[in-house]
Structure formats: structure tokens, C-alpha cells
Amino acid sequence: MDPAARSPDSPERIAAAAATGGTSLRLRCSVAAGGGEGGAGSGPVLHDLRCTAELHPEVIAAAAGQLARSAVEAAEQAEAGAGAGAGTARARAAAPRAAGDLAGAPGSTADAEAPQARLELVRADCSVCPLAREVPEAGADSAAGAGRSIAGLDRAVARAEQLVDSAGLNCEIVQVEQPLREGGARPRRWQRGALFSALRRRRDPAELQPVRPVSVPAISPERGVLLAALPRATVPVPAPSRRGCTACRACEQVCPTEAIMWRATERVTDFGVVPMDCVACGLCVQTCPEDVLELTGQADVGGPVQVLHRVITARCERCDAALSPGERDRCTRCTTGTDLLDEVWSQL
């Protein structure tokens, strides 16, 4: 296993904590006091981090997605159990008995409500946190959630909620502010007292094992956990916003994840994007010489290559050869030949 994946802050560890079959998870930063301990059979699972405000939007979405999927599975199991209980109740109703015997029977109105998915992000006041640092303001499409700031965490949560909603799931994501923990951040290494306290409140190891895959191979750990939890989540991808694309392929050359693909035939050139590889960094938008690219396309993060634009290949008006980027009306060969002929005639 990659050493980075063993860290409590790694996307894989966070997703694994959310995929244990429970419907609630509490992610607590290292300087926040309290926040609950999640004992066996009571309360949400507790997972301690170094800094909650550093959470990536896709990691938050993946954790929420895992919780939402567990809630859906629990609701389906409860519904199946209620159906079986109702059948048993009908069979018993055929026998003579008191009218009140059905009260409390499985499948009756006494059934518990289906659990709701809930993700709690427990943090201290970032303005006085000793781990905090200033981060510049950033746009909504940039990596805004990486900074240790309340504003950055708000943007990350908002983006995570969009991803979860786009996948057709529901999970409540809430921020809980706690006072600073006395003595600073929690130590990474166990102390004697803390070790015995943790052992007393530990859960059954089988209960904490992930019940479904928490990550798949991807361009980044964050994208890997998102693909595993929410393969149908909708992500932004670049697409030409208006006419004017010349298929110069400058966007393909600067894409750091090789998510942009061009497929050319004799008459047309298709612009495509691999959604699972696109991180919406915006480099292609900034590089486009025609200024026609924008992050306005939408695609399922786990979906196939999306063909978002088709460019009709421009052809030389003289020889009908396909024009290369930068050529207009006539290809370089015809233009050069015409210029050379004009120069020869001018010398006569």
C-alpha cells in the first residue's frame, strides 16, 4: 500500500470510514475539542483528521455518497423486512385472537423510519486555529477547497453537495464548530491513557470493514474515491461555447491529464473529453487562441468519452486539401506557389 494511503487524511482512509455500512460519519479536525467518540452501536463513526478545512470537494462527496448508499441499502432491507412481516401478520390474523394483538407487529406503523445519511465536519474556529494559513480567494471552478479557511470549506461543501445531488442520492452535510482543544492538536502517536480509552470504546473489527469498494484506479486519489462512490455524478468539462474553433489542438497539448481527445476524418474533426480524467483545471480554457472554450459541458464522471463539438474541416479553395491551423482560404503550398509565380512574373 502506498504510504500516503495509510494517513488518516488520505482519501482512501476517509472513504473507508464512510463505507463501513453506517449512515453517519463524523470527520473531526485535530485541534477541535469534543465532537463525540462514536462508541459501539451508538452515534456516528468518528474519524480524526489533521485539518477538516483541507478536505477536497471530491473526497467530501465520496464520503457522503458512501453514506447515502448505505442509507439506501438499509431502507431497502427495512422495506423487505416490512413486507415479510406484513405477510406474517396477515397469516396470524386468520386465526381467532384479540383485536389488539397486531399492535407492534412487524410491518405495522411501529416500524422505525429509514435511517438518513449524515456527514458531520467538525472543526475549530479557523480564524484562531494554529494550523491555519491565509489563502487567496479563488473562483468556484478552481481548487478552492484545498485551503485552510472557512470560506474554502464552504465552497468545498457546496461543490460536494452538487456532486451528490447529481448522482441522485441524498446526504446531509453539516459543519459543526467546536472550541480549540486544550493542549493543541491531537498527537499522532498513541499515549497510554488514550490507547486504553480507545480500546474500551472500540467497535467490532468486522463492523468497521468497508462493505463496498472505496477507490478505483484513477488520475488522483480524490478522483478514485469519487468514481467508486458516485460514478454517475455530473462533473464540468470543457466545451466550445460558440463557433470559431479551428481544431488547432492547443487545448490537447496543455491538458495535464490528457483528458482531451481529437478524432479527425477527411471532412470533420471531433472534440472529445474523457470525464473521469478531466479535473476542470481550466488550462485549456486559458490557452484556447480563439477564446471559444468554457467549462460549460456536463458529463457523468464515470461515463465514456463525450464528443462535445464537431469542427467541419476547412479546405483549400484551390486544391481542396485540408487546411492546417493558421491557414485560411488557401493552404501554405498553394499560397507559396502563387507568391513565387507572382514574384517570377514581376522580374520579367
Side-chain angles (χ1 to χ4, degrees):
M1 179 185 291
D2 185 355
R6 300 191 185 103
S7 168
D9 298 330
S10 70
E12 294 88 349
R13 289 286 297 276
I14 295 172
T20 56
T23 59
S24 58
L25 173 66
R26 180 173 293 146
L27 301 178
R28 179 178 62 180
C29 78
S30 59
V31 299
E37 297 298 340
S42 63
V45 175
L46 176 66
H47 186 81
D48 282 328
L49 308 171
R50 181 174 184 272
C51 179
T52 307
E54 284 187 323
L55 286 171
H56 193 280
E58 294 184 358
V59 177
I60 299 176
Q66 293 285 5
L67 296 173
R69 291 174 63 182
S70 294
V72 171
E73 292 170 359
E76 291 174 348
Q77 293 174 2
E79 184 178 354
T88 303
R90 286 192 296 270
R92 290 178 179 176
R97 60 183 183 154
D101 286 349
L102 280 176
S108 68
T109 56
D111 287 347
E113 294 184 0
Q116 299 297 316
R118 179 181 173 90
L119 176 62
E120 297 181 8
L121 307 178
V122 181
R123 58 171 176 78
D125 185 354
C126 295
S127 64
V128 296
C129 173
L131 298 178
R133 58 180 171 82
E134 294 295 329
V135 294
E137 289 296 326
D141 294 328
S142 65
R148 300 186 187 99
S149 67
I150 298 176
L153 183 58
D154 288 341
R155 289 190 291 266
V157 169
R159 176 61 186 143
E161 290 175 338
Q162 292 175 356
L163 290 169
V164 176
D165 291 343
S166 69
L169 296 174
N170 182 34
C171 179
E172 183 182 11
I173 305 176
V174 297
Q175 297 185 48
V176 180
E177 184 174 328
Q178 296 285 346
L180 285 175
R181 179 178 180 273
E182 295 182 6
R186 291 178 179 80
R188 281 300 186 192
R189 296 186 178 182
W190 287 104
Q191 296 179 349
R192 184 184 179 93
L195 176 60
F196 282 107
S197 297
L199 290 175
R200 282 196 298 271
R201 64 174 180 267
R202 73 185 186 279
R203 295 190 176 197
D204 181 356
E207 184 182 351
L208 295 178
Q209 292 297 318
V211 296
R212 65 181 70 89
V214 299
S215 183
V216 298
I219 58 172
S220 68
E222 294 81 8
R223 182 52 58 89
V225 296
L226 179 67
L227 284 167
L230 301 171
R232 299 297 302 275
T234 301
V235 294
V237 293
S241 59
R242 57 184 182 275
R243 296 177 61 88
C245 177
T246 61
C248 67
R249 304 194 181 190
C251 51
E252 181 183 29
Q253 300 300 318
V254 300
C255 181
T257 61
E258 299 181 355
I260 296 178
M261 301 179 62
W262 287 91
R263 289 183 291 197
T265 63
E266 184 179 355
R267 295 292 177 182
V268 298
T269 303
D270 291 334
F271 171 86
V273 176
V274 185
M276 69 175 62
D277 291 342
C278 178
V279 295
C281 64
L283 282 177
C284 55
V285 175
Q286 300 172 19
T287 304
C288 179
E290 306 296 337
D291 195 26
V292 297
L293 269 185
E294 293 183 3
L295 289 171
T296 55
Q298 298 288 327
D300 289 349
V301 67
V305 176
Q306 298 289 311
V307 177
L308 300 175
H309 188 66
R310 172 164 289 180
V311 180
I312 305 299
T313 303
R315 312 195 72 80
C316 177
E317 63 183 16
R318 182 172 182 179
C319 69
D320 200 40
L323 296 181
S324 300
E327 296 179 338
R328 296 184 182 277
D329 300 330
R330 292 188 180 185
C331 65
T332 302
R333 184 177 62 178
C334 290
T335 302
T336 303
T338 301
D339 293 343
L340 180 60
L341 183 61
D342 291 340
E343 183 178 352
V344 171
W345 279 106
S346 65
Q347 300 297 325
L348 297 178

